[in-house]
Amino acid sequence: MDMRYARIVSVSVLVAAQCALSSPPATATATTAKAEKKPLVELREQGGFAGLDNRVTVYTNGCARATRRTGPAVTRCLSDGELRELRADLKRLRLGRSQAQPPGADFIKYTLRHKGRKATRYTLPTTWVPVVRRLQNIHRRATTGVSS
């Protein structure tokens, strides 16, 4: 009876030790999740006759999450060069004020969020163009798998 008890205790200790060694500490997981959830910039494109609803969020850790009106969300990480170029474009970005919706039905609404600010435009200002084009390319590559 004592031998069985000793085996049960030793197996329990081994299993607990293995679990402790194989899982990351709770603080590391929380820190990683927190860094992943801090957005650097977000673009949302909505509207048009086709009912476009695309969103791409690039986080400070260099990963991006892209969604479409239909289909699953896709996550991909940017290369160091892509992130560096995006940050350079963001330094020149001037969000300005939101634009009122023009009359008509077939317009694309662009909404950018950056540094806690948000603005919506229907025509792209000069400083928005490089940021929007870069984010559209990131979204396209993430959702279609096209690399160019």
Side-chain angles (χ1 to χ4, degrees), residues 86-108:
L86 176 60
R87 286 182 188 271
D89 290 339
L90 289 172
K91 284 181 182 177
R92 293 184 288 274
L93 176 67
R94 300 291 173 255
L95 279 180
R97 295 181 176 210
S98 289
Q99 182 180 26
Q101 182 173 352
D106 192 24
F107 289 99
I108 304 295

Side-chain angles (χ1 to χ4, degrees), residues 63-93:
C63 291
R65 182 174 190 267
T67 60
R68 290 180 172 233
R69 182 170 44 98
T70 60
V74 180
T75 301
R76 82 176 274 277
C77 292
L78 281 59
S79 69
D80 291 340
E82 287 175 313
L83 187 58
R84 191 173 30 258
E85 290 169 352
L86 176 60
R87 286 182 188 271
D89 290 339
L90 289 172
K91 284 181 182 177
R92 293 184 288 274
L93 176 67

Side-chain angles (χ1 to χ4, degrees), residues 95 97-100 109-112 118-122 128:
L95 279 180
R97 295 181 176 210
S98 289
Q99 182 180 26
K109 175 174 143 181
Y110 300 91
T111 303
L112 271 177
K118 174 179 117 174
T120 299
R121 302 293 301 224
Y122 293 87
W128 282 44

Side-chain angles (χ1 to χ4, degrees), residues 5 13 29-30 33 38 43 58 69 86 112 114 117 134 144:
Y5 180 72
V13 169
T29 304
K38 187 171 182 193
L43 170 67
V58 178
R69 182 170 44 98
L86 176 60
L112 271 177
H114 180 57
R117 297 195 55 225
R134 193 169 305 279
T144 64

